[in-house]
Each structure stands twice: as C-alpha cells, then as structure tokens.
Amino acid sequence: MDYLVKLYQNAFLEPLSVAETITIRKPIGTEKHVVLDWIGAQFNQRWQSEAATAYSRHNSLFIAVHDKEIVGFACYDGTAKGFFGPLGVSEFAREKGVGKQLLRKTLNAMKEAGYGYAIIPTNSEDYYRKYLDLIEINGSEKSIYHDMVG
C-alpha cells in the first residue's frame, strides 16, 4: 500500500531539541561501493538497486554512521520521483532512534527539494504511523512495484 505524507505541514519534521547520537549524512563518491555493498549484504539487492539509483540521480541517499560504521540508510527518488524509501537499520542499531533520525532527515531533504508530499510504499505502516500522519492512497495495493521482473 502507498501512503502520502504532507511535507508542508508536519510537526515531525521540526528540528530535534536534543543532541543526535548518530551522524546522518550523505555518502561521498569514494564511499559509494562500501555503502551499496553494505545495503546489499544487510538487506537485499532490490534495496541496493534503489539506493544506487537515488545516489546516482541527486545523491538523495543518506547513511547513519556510528563509530565509523554504517548502521542504517534511507533514500528518496530511487524508484520514482517523490517516493521515500527504502529505509533500513542494522539489527545492532534498531530500537535506538536511528530509523527515526533517518526518516526525519530524508523527509526534510525532500521538503527542501521542493516536494509538497512524500509517497511511502510500505507494508509497515504501523512504524510510520508512530511519527507521521499517513494518508492512504486508494487503489495502491500493488504500488509501483507490481510488475517487476526477477
């Protein structure tokens, strides 16, 4: 199912008032292979492909780094313009706010790039509902991924 998130009116996107414990940033060119290999090993090749596309288009890929190790990633515009995701966090870093920080940073980047809405294709809407007001897109059960090969 796909969901819309209003980027122009969303309290979640306001700056954090506490210090962030994880560094969220865009990878630089010399890190590209390391980041993409990590995504493929931690998650799957489809997410690796989406991240590679997001990186190549506008470097709309973010990584979460802790002690010089990647612990998560998120991107947008990997599959289609306006699409958020995927979002992935290593087992070590789950339940520590890393996903929340990646989500905030990536959605803010979309807002700054001029998007009024983000489309989130997900089967994990409960996770996103903790932070965002999701608007279900009727008829999007198959999403943009409905006719993939492989």
Side-chain angles (χ1 to χ4, degrees), residues 51-73:
T53 301
Y55 181 91
S56 296
R57 282 192 178 152
H58 308 289
N59 195 3
S60 54
L61 171 64
F62 291 89
I63 55 174
V65 179
H66 177 70
D67 289 338
K68 294 187 178 185
E69 296 290 327
I70 301 168
V71 295
F73 83 102

Side-chain angles (χ1 to χ4, degrees), residues 67-124:
D67 289 338
K68 294 187 178 185
E69 296 290 327
I70 301 168
V71 295
F73 83 102
C75 60
Y76 68 94
D77 288 355
T79 296
K81 286 193 173 274
F83 272 69
F84 167 86
L87 164 70
V89 177
S90 67
E91 283 190 45
F92 156 79
R94 291 183 188 152
E95 305 297 325
K96 296 179 181 176
V98 175
K100 179 180 179 180
Q101 290 179 43
L102 281 162
L103 179 62
R104 179 179 280 114
K105 184 77 168 187
T106 307
L107 291 178
N108 269 313
M110 291 181 76
K111 181 179 178 181
E112 290 169 9
Y115 289 100
Y117 295 87
I119 301 166
I120 301 179
T122 187
N123 293 323
S124 303

Side-chain angles (χ1 to χ4, degrees), residues 9-80:
Q9 182 184 16
N10 197 314
F12 176 73
L13 298 181
E14 297 301 319
L16 290 174
S17 59
V18 295
E20 296 187 22
T21 58
I22 302 291
T23 301
I24 308 292
R25 64 176 178 80
K26 292 183 174 190
I28 61 172
T30 57
E31 296 174 306
K32 181 180 178 182
H33 70 285
V34 174
V35 172
L36 295 178
D37 288 350
W38 182 86
I39 293 169
Q42 291 284 316
F43 302 102
N44 58 60
Q45 289 180 327
R46 290 185 191 269
W47 283 16
Q48 183 181 31
S49 294
E50 284 185 285
T53 301
Y55 181 91
S56 296
R57 282 192 178 152
H58 308 289
N59 195 3
S60 54
L61 171 64
F62 291 89
I63 55 174
V65 179
H66 177 70
D67 289 338
K68 294 187 178 185
E69 296 290 327
I70 301 168
V71 295
F73 83 102
C75 60
Y76 68 94
D77 288 355
T79 296

